[in-house]
Amino acid sequence: MKEATSPVPIVRNDTQAIHQLYAQNVIPSYGRFDLALSHGAGARVWDMGGRQYLDLAGGIAVCSLGHANPEITRALVEQSQRLLHVSNLYYTEPQARLAEKLVKNLGPGKVFFCNSGAEANEGLYKVARKFGNAEGRFEILTALNSFHGRTLAGISATGQEKVKKGFEPMVSGFRHIPFNDLEAARNALSPATVAILIEPIQGETGITPATVDYLLGLRQLCDDHKLLLLLDEVQGGIFRTGKFASYQRILESEAGAAGFMPDAVSLAKSLGGGFPIGAFWVREPYSNLLSAGTHGTTFGGNPLGAAVALRVLEVIERDNLADRARQLGEWMKSKLLALCGEFPTVLKTVRGYGMMIGIELADNIQAFSGSEKTASIQFINKLHDAGVMAVPSGANIIRLLPPLNLSESEADEGLRLIRSVAQSLSQQ
Ligand SMILES: *Cc1c(COP(=O)(O)O)cnc(C)c1O
């Protein structure tokens, strides 16, 4: 087979022209940073002016094997030479093999493939509605400060006012409860309640993990009231925390958690290592609720996406990247905690698991007082100036979601750059 020729990077400083084209032609629904990116390799990205950045954002927990990974390229090329797409009216091998792999990692059940996280969550809502339909139950409880995607049902499920504003009325049948508060969940149940949906680690609002007691308590509550426990693993899944799913990591050494299983799990982001693919898994005996003709999507589980996701999972397993994410992530977390001690007027604390790290900034950072922008955005702008990329999570938390194959020297370099930013801010 002919090797794919690697793309020749075009490094021209026409950032201004790109900005102009966006301003004229792209719907301005995103607040964007002032970087126009050209190409990448591993954990590095270059902007159109040729400046290099260490990418600890990973496309918001997507590029789990880094940029321009040759094995992903090979899977793309090989599969595209066989079969890019056929509809779901037929069977293909990559979809079958990928489903088998996901079931192996989550437990006895079945998988549906889609194209994004919001769509994977839509599947969970439909499973829950189907489950409760005969009894007239339809209500899904979700957590405050959650994030479940930007479709109309997604923003209805999301427990943040800012995503709903201007789009009312919301899809009915969602109600929000405080996160990590089992009593509140119990008190919120109504005769119409059919499911509880949470992120085991809330990703968009500060990398906030569910407690062991909360996860186990919700499982019990759902069992007692015939509710489905739905987990959104779109951001925390695919070995980022050191286990396939983040709930598995949170519960891993808990004796009382043996046999814990959610009823359904949504996945996307890292699943394709940068290729858009989502999925949801439903456990037995609920995995046949969505019978023939009740759910579907044109592109879901197409051979190209499935072949790439399969390769991503094979590489993670072969190279033991789950353990690497766990160990390097814990090491980075300990170093970052030390920085909090060194620069307490800038950095408050650090939390997360593996390669899903949240750095909470100190309140009222002096150097940021003159701007309307959130502290997290101002901090990230400083990181960009220093040559490192990260993602804001809420108004005062910085997220690190690096590739799982980040090297120790890259991790060390990232920490040095973060330290230099914290140090200069502490002196202002
Ligand atoms: C990103 C994200 C989503 C939405 O995924 P999209 O692919 O952007 O639709 C849903 N839930 C969580 C937890 C996420 O992090």
Side-chain angles (χ1 to χ4, degrees), residues 116-119 121 147-150 199 204 232 234-235 268-269:
S116 70
E119 231 186 309
N121 286 331
F147 183 77
H148 298 298
R150 296 290 196 148
E199 296 154 85
E204 296 298 310
D232 181 341
V234 169
Q235 191 162 147
K269 290 206 164 93

Side-chain angles (χ1 to χ4, degrees), residues 60-62 114-121 232-238 265-280:
I60 316 192
V62 167
C114 54
N115 312 285
S116 70
E119 231 186 309
N121 286 331
D232 181 341
E233 289 278 2
V234 169
Q235 191 162 147
I238 321 293
V265 171
S266 56
L267 301 166
K269 290 206 164 93
S270 286
L271 180 55
F275 191 92
I277 178 170
F280 64 89

Side-chain angles (χ1 to χ4, degrees), residues 5 53 60 70 90 105 120 126 150 195 223 231 249 270 323 357 374:
T5 47
Y53 302 84
I60 316 192
Y90 313 101
N105 278 293
K126 282 182 75 174
R150 296 290 196 148
D223 289 344
L231 298 183
R249 175 70 205 273
S270 286
D323 288 345
I357 299 173
T374 64

